[in-house]
């Protein structure tokens, strides 16, 4: 099964107020649109992410999303339904998840439940039970509405692509509020799976205030340290921070022996209390032989982001008598930023020697030490 996440971000968010549409506003220092994209871009069961934006907001959207995500932009329409139709026309996979950018906190397990449901149903949506008394209301309270079988329907909503396209072709009613309405009108059986409180939609100023409080309450700063060392062996070049640095000798290792990326990977895993690189990529496993170490680093970053974490800063010290790091420092910094989808100002690369002492001083190999600063959801 191949799955595309279609994130609808073409609206103006006028009910929230402000000069900037809500999907481009920063929430806890991170644009809402970026927060909405991350859970899907990092999820192993999502093959592609498309973001539907207004024609005059493409540059703004790219800035909000940030570099490195596997996303493409689609131009939306005048209405939400038209924006979804435009997005569906660009989807190339068998299945699609349609999500509102105004719901920036999508748990990975909700995505899993939706994708699993598509094995047996043409459509699936996350739902939450209603615990409050429901009643009709104008100026005064009216009759009570039975809530026993009522639920709140959220997004993302999952569909067979062909089934949803066909349903939209049959739709002739007024503007639908979501895709499950269109699907049910076309006779599709829509499976309900457990939703999440985190999927609350940002619509009003009160919603925004509660989201800010949630981010502030549940975010804690954490720091991890990583260290790695490899001996010289064989022919060069050596891999340092994802960059092939010319040298007469290479480095010995089960993978490509990139001490810089290995130390950063361990620092990130340590900051998130997720073990170490050897637990995730055992050197005894032949599938990792000769593997490019950016695979390890991407994996560690994805684990953090899937848990709602944010990588703030990486600081690396390369310990070596040779080769000289200075000429390649800028390239190494850029490559690490690219792999981790960070700004270059979030990556620091330093180099030092041991003044001829010890393993590296005798020019027997290279070591690297890294410190990673992240923010993770706390227990509040």
């Amino acid at each position: 099964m191949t799955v595309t996440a279609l994130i609808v971000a073409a609206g103006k968010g006028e009910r929230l107020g402000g000069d900037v549409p809500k999907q481009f506003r920063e929430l806890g220092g991170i644009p809402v649109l970026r927060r909405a994209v991350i859970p899907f871009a990092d999820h192993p069961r999502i093959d592609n992410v498309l973001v539907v934006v207004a024609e005059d907001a493409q540059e703004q959207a790219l800035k909000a999303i940030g570099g490195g995500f596997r996303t493409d932009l689609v131009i939306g329409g005048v209405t939400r339904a038209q924006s979804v139709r435009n997005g569906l026309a660009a989807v190339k996979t068998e299945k699609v998840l349609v999500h509102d950018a105004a719901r920036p906190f999508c748990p990975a397990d909700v995505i899993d439940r939706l994708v699993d449901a598509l094995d047996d149903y043409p459509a699936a949506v996350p739902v939450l039970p209603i615990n409050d008394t429901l009643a009709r209301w104008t100026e005064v309270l009216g009759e009570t509405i039975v809530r026993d079988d009522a639920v709140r329907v959220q997004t993302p909503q999952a569909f067979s692509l062909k089934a949803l396209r066909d349903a939209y072709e049959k739709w002739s009613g007024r503007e639908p509020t979501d895709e499950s309405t269109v699907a049910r009108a076309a006779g599709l059986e829509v499976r309900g799976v457990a939703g999440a409180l985190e999927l609350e939609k940002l619509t009003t100023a009160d919603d925004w205030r509660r989201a800010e409080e949630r981010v502030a309450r549940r975010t804690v700063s954490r720091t991890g340290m990583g260290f790695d060392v490899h001996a010289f062996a064989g022919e060069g070049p050596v891999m340092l921070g994802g960059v092939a640095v010319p040298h007469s000798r290479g480095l010995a290792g089960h993978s490509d022996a990139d001490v810089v990326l290995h130390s950063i990977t361990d620092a990130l895993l340590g900051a998130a209390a997720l073990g170490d690189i050897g637990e995730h990529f055992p050197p005894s496993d032949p599938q990792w032989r000769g593997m490019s170490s950016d695979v390890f680093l991407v994996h560690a970053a994805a684990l953090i982001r899937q848990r709602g974490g944010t990588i703030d800063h990486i600081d690396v010290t390369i310990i070596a008598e040779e080769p000289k790091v200075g000429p390649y420092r800028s390239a190494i910094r850029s490559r690490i930023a690219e792999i981790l989808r960070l700004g270059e100002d979030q990556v620091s690369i330093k180099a030092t020697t041991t003044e001829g002492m010890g393993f590296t001083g005798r020019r027997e190999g290279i070591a690297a030490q890294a410190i990673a600063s992240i923010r993770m959801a706390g227990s509040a």
Side-chain angles (χ1 to χ4, degrees):
M1 182 188 301
T2 54
V3 185
T4 291
L6 182 65
I7 299 177
V8 184
K12 298 185 181 300
E14 293 173 337
R15 279 182 287 178
L16 186 61
D19 298 328
V20 178
K22 59 190 171 187
Q23 62 269 33
F24 303 135
R25 290 173 58 175
E26 289 194 353
L27 181 60
I30 300 173
V32 167
L33 182 54
R34 180 177 176 85
R35 287 187 180 274
V37 168
I38 284 174
F40 299 93
D42 281 337
H43 199 288
R45 302 177 74 179
I46 301 298
D47 301 285
N48 189 34
V49 178
L50 299 178
V51 180
V52 185
V53 300
E55 187 170 9
D56 61 355
Q58 295 177 71
E59 184 176 344
Q60 200 171 14
L62 289 173
K63 182 178 179 182
I65 294 170
F69 287 115
R70 59 182 197 278
T71 60
D72 293 301
L73 299 185
V74 179
I75 303 305
V78 176
T79 65
R80 183 188 184 279
Q82 186 57 58
S83 292
V84 173
R85 284 174 178 264
N86 291 0
L88 293 176
V91 174
K92 307 297 183 186
T93 57
E94 177 187 1
K95 309 292 183 180
V96 62
L97 270 61
V98 183
H99 186 54
D100 295 325
R103 301 179 193 265
F105 308 110
C106 184
D109 56 354
V110 172
I111 297 174
D112 284 326
R113 288 194 286 271
L114 290 168
V115 174
D116 286 342
L118 290 180
D119 288 337
D120 301 308
Y121 292 84
V125 299
V127 298
L128 285 179
I130 296 174
N131 299 316
D132 297 317
T133 297
L134 294 178
R136 303 191 185 282
W137 173 74
T138 51
E139 291 185 2
V140 296
L141 200 63
E143 63 178 301
T144 300
I145 301 171
V146 177
R147 71 182 186 193
D148 295 351
D149 298 324
V151 292
R152 297 161 55 193
V153 180
Q154 302 175 309
T155 77
Q157 300 182 355
F159 303 91
S160 156
L161 176 63
K162 184 179 185 307
L164 185 55
R165 282 177 173 170
D166 290 346
Y168 259 112
E169 288 301 316
K170 296 175 183 177
W171 179 258
S172 59
R174 63 182 183 179
E175 176 75 5
T177 56
D178 71 346
E179 281 55 62
S180 69
T181 302
V182 177
R184 288 178 53 256
L188 294 180
E189 190 173 16
V190 181
R191 171 70 186 275
V193 303
L197 291 175
E198 298 97 309
L199 282 170
E200 293 284 352
K201 189 175 183 180
L202 299 176
T203 302
T204 67
D206 282 343
D207 297 330
W208 187 272
R209 176 183 51 77
R210 284 191 294 269
E212 286 185 317
E213 291 173 352
R214 181 187 297 119
V215 169
R217 184 173 63 251
R218 300 197 53 167
T219 301
V220 293
S221 296
R222 303 172 71 166
T223 302
M225 187 174 76
F227 180 83
D228 193 44
V229 60
H230 284 280
F232 284 123
E235 298 180 353
V238 296
M239 294 301 299
L240 293 177
V243 174
V245 176
H247 193 251
S248 60
R249 295 183 289 175
L251 291 172
H254 187 67
S255 62
D256 64 2
D258 190 324
V259 293
V260 174
L261 296 191
H262 291 183
S263 65
I264 298 173
T265 301
D266 258 351
L268 288 173
L269 292 172
L274 294 172
D276 60 37
I277 192 171
E279 294 180 50
H280 294 264
F281 304 97
S284 59
D285 191 335
Q287 70 173 307
W288 308 123
R289 184 174 299 280
M291 180 65 66
S292 175
S293 295
D294 58 354
V295 172
F296 309 152
L297 189 54
V298 166
H299 173 78
L303 289 178
I304 289 170
R305 288 172 175 141
Q306 285 169 14
R307 288 160 174 75
T310 300
I311 302 170
D312 284 326
H313 191 261
I314 301 295
D315 183 28
V316 182
T317 299
I318 302 170
I319 307 166
E321 298 288 337
E322 59 180 39
K324 296 299 182 184
V325 174
Y328 306 96
R329 188 194 313 268
S330 179
I332 293 171
R333 186 184 187 197
S334 296
R335 178 59 181 146
I336 293 170
E338 179 184 21
I339 295 170
L340 290 175
R341 303 198 306 265
L342 300 175
E344 289 190 27
D345 61 347
Q346 294 174 276
V347 178
S348 172
I349 301 296
K350 308 187 303 293
T352 189
T353 71
T354 56
E355 302 295 337
M357 296 179 292
F359 172 83
T360 58
R362 295 191 298 269
R363 292 175 166 80
E364 295 174 3
I366 300 176
Q369 179 174 287
I371 295 177
S373 300
I374 69 172
R375 282 173 287 154
M376 294 287 288
S379 58

